[in-house]
């Protein structure tokens, strides 16, 4: 079994919970998610099945789109409503004031992660240190915000935002930074990921709906669709035999990385080494040809 699932994760459960439910229901040995959603968050959670888990590194640099709600006037130690309130009584800005700040935040920038995050600090997760009351200075990370729009005033200091950003961006930190520019406080109360690379919420299946099925076959998405910009080459029977025996093959120059195909089945991903192609990620499953 080789492919991806596009799961619509419900709020209130961990990403690993989703993985384990699918793993046990369908008796899958190799399975993993492509980018964690916090328990508070809902929306698109891509799941890799079988040898597709080996493609994780290729899926990292994908833009994502979120619909979020930020509450202004107070903040918490986690920068979302699951944490303890640390500051309150702040100014409630207007949607016009918020929008003027949002336009200034478009582009590449250094973002400081939340203290309650999975960032590694000398071998320890930042959230573990935060729970112990240990303050550390987290290193900023370069991220890109492609678009940031305040779309609706819900009243009571709550606003809806539409955000498109690079992978690795913390939406909670965006709430903090917007508020800081307005000399007030804010935290995130709702987060829904509506797109993650090629995975879109319109094509996602609810977890419980998937678990009610007898098979995953209908819902598996080919790696060819998940990584559509990869080139493809088709190889002969002899080339397939050589690759399966660990040998390099000779072919025309390629723009790496490239899918190698045999009889319309994926053999793997190759990269060029001098004038030969060497298998970089093995995906072939016996019996497909």
């Amino acid at each position: 079994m080789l492919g991806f699932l596009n799961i619509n994760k419900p709020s209130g459960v961990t990403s690993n919970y989703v993985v384990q439910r699918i793993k046990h229901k369908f008796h899958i040995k190799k399975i993993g998610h492509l980018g964690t959603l916090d328990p508070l968050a809902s929306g698109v959670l891509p799941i890799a099945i079988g040898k597709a888990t080996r493609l994780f590194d290729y899926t990292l640099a994908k833009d994502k789109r979120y619909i979020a709600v930020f509450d202004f006037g107070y903040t918490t130690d986690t920068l979302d409503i699951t944490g303890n309130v640390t500051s309150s009584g702040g100014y409630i800005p207007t949607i016009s004031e918020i929008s003027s700040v949002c336009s200034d935040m478009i582009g590449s920038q250094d973002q400081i992660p939340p203290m309650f995050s999975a960032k590694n600090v000398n071998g320890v997760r930042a959230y573990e240190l935060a729970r112990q009351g240990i303050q550390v200075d987290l290193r900023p990370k370069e991220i890109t915000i492609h678009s940031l729009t305040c779309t609706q005033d819900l009243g009571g200091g709550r606003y809806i935002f539409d955000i498109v950003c690079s992978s690795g961006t913390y939406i909670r930190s965006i709430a903090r930074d917007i508020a800081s520019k307005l000399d007030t406080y804010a935290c995130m109360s709702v987060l829904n990921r509506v797109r993650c690379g090629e995975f879109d919420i319109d094509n996602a299946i609810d977890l419980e709906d998937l678990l009610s099925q007898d098979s995953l076959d209908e819902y598996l998405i080919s790696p060819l669709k998940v990584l559509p910009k990869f080139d493809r080459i088709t190889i002969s029977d002899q080339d397939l035999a050589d690759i399966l025996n660990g040998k390099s093959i000779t072919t025309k120059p390629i723009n790496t990385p490239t899918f190698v195909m045999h009889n319309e089945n994926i053999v793997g991903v190759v990269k060029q080494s001098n004038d030969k192609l060497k298998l970089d990620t093995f995906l072939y499953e016996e019996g497909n040809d």
Side-chain angles (χ1 to χ4, degrees):
M1 191 179 295
L2 171 70
F4 297 87
L5 297 171
N6 185 8
I7 303 298
N8 184 10
K9 183 187 98 63
S11 178
V13 300
T14 66
S15 297
N16 185 59
Y17 169 86
V18 175
V19 168
Q20 294 305 316
R21 290 287 305 278
I22 297 172
K23 178 179 182 179
H24 293 137
K25 163 70 178 182
F26 298 102
H27 309 289
I28 301 169
K29 291 183 178 179
K30 295 181 180 179
I31 181 172
H33 59 74
L34 308 180
T36 302
L37 277 178
D38 290 339
L40 173 66
S42 61
V44 171
L45 180 66
I47 304 287
I49 304 293
K51 291 189 179 74
T53 55
R54 300 177 180 179
L55 294 170
F56 177 80
D57 288 346
Y58 294 115
T59 68
L60 289 178
K62 300 296 182 182
D63 291 340
K64 302 175 183 181
R65 181 186 175 198
Y66 298 89
I67 303 298
V69 176
F70 297 162
D71 296 3
F72 285 81
Y74 74 100
T75 192
T76 70
D77 51 5
T78 60
L79 300 182
D80 63 32
I81 58 170
T82 68
N84 298 312
V85 175
T86 55
S87 300
S88 60
Y91 170 67
I92 304 298
T94 65
I95 193 169
S96 177
E97 291 171 326
I98 293 172
S99 296
S100 66
V101 168
C102 288
S103 61
D104 293 336
M105 295 180 63
I106 305 301
S108 298
Q109 58 206 264
D110 288 335
Q111 183 188 70
I112 299 175
M115 272 301 302
F116 280 83
S117 66
K119 286 296 182 182
N120 194 298
V121 182
N122 297 323
V124 181
R125 297 296 187 185
Y127 63 77
E128 295 177 355
L129 297 173
R131 286 170 182 166
Q132 300 173 41
I134 301 175
Q135 295 292 321
V136 295
D137 292 326
L138 295 179
R139 293 181 179 178
K141 178 182 179 181
E142 184 176 349
I143 58 101
T144 301
I145 298 177
H146 299 291
S147 66
L148 174 59
T149 307
C150 185
T151 61
Q152 187 177 352
D153 181 353
L154 297 177
R158 306 182 76 228
Y159 294 89
I160 298 178
F161 289 79
D162 190 329
I163 305 164
V164 179
C165 56
S166 62
S167 182
T169 302
Y170 283 93
I171 306 303
R172 290 175 287 155
S173 290
I174 293 178
R176 175 200 63 203
D177 295 343
I178 290 174
S180 178
K181 290 178 179 294
L182 294 169
D183 197 25
T184 187
Y185 313 114
C187 70
M188 184 182 76
S189 58
V190 176
L191 183 64
N192 182 237
R193 185 159 67 191
V194 296
R195 181 170 59 79
C196 180
E198 298 299 318
F199 299 91
D200 193 274
I201 194 70
D202 291 339
N203 302 316
I205 181 171
D206 291 346
L207 175 61
E208 295 304 323
D209 288 345
L210 180 72
L211 295 174
S212 69
Q213 307 299 313
D214 295 325
S215 169
L216 292 178
D217 293 347
E218 179 183 349
Y219 303 98
L220 277 180
I221 303 169
S222 168
L224 301 177
K225 293 184 177 180
V226 174
L227 299 166
K229 294 183 180 179
F230 278 28
D231 288 337
R232 304 178 197 177
I233 59 171
T234 299
I235 60 174
S236 66
D237 292 348
Q238 182 58 56
D239 285 339
L240 175 64
D242 287 343
I243 277 184
L244 295 181
N245 286 317
K247 298 179 181 179
S248 299
I249 60 174
T250 303
T251 185
K252 64 181 181 180
I254 63 168
N255 295 319
T256 58
T258 296
F259 280 118
V260 172
M261 310 293 297
H262 182 263
N263 291 341
E264 298 186 356
N265 293 311
I266 303 173
V267 178
V269 178
V270 291
K271 291 184 177 180
Q272 188 136 11
S273 178
N274 297 322
D275 62 340
K276 293 184 179 294
L277 298 183
K278 187 173 180 61
L279 197 61
D280 183 67
T281 306
F282 181 73
L283 303 172
Y284 186 72
E285 296 188 332
E286 297 289 344
N288 280 349
D289 287 316

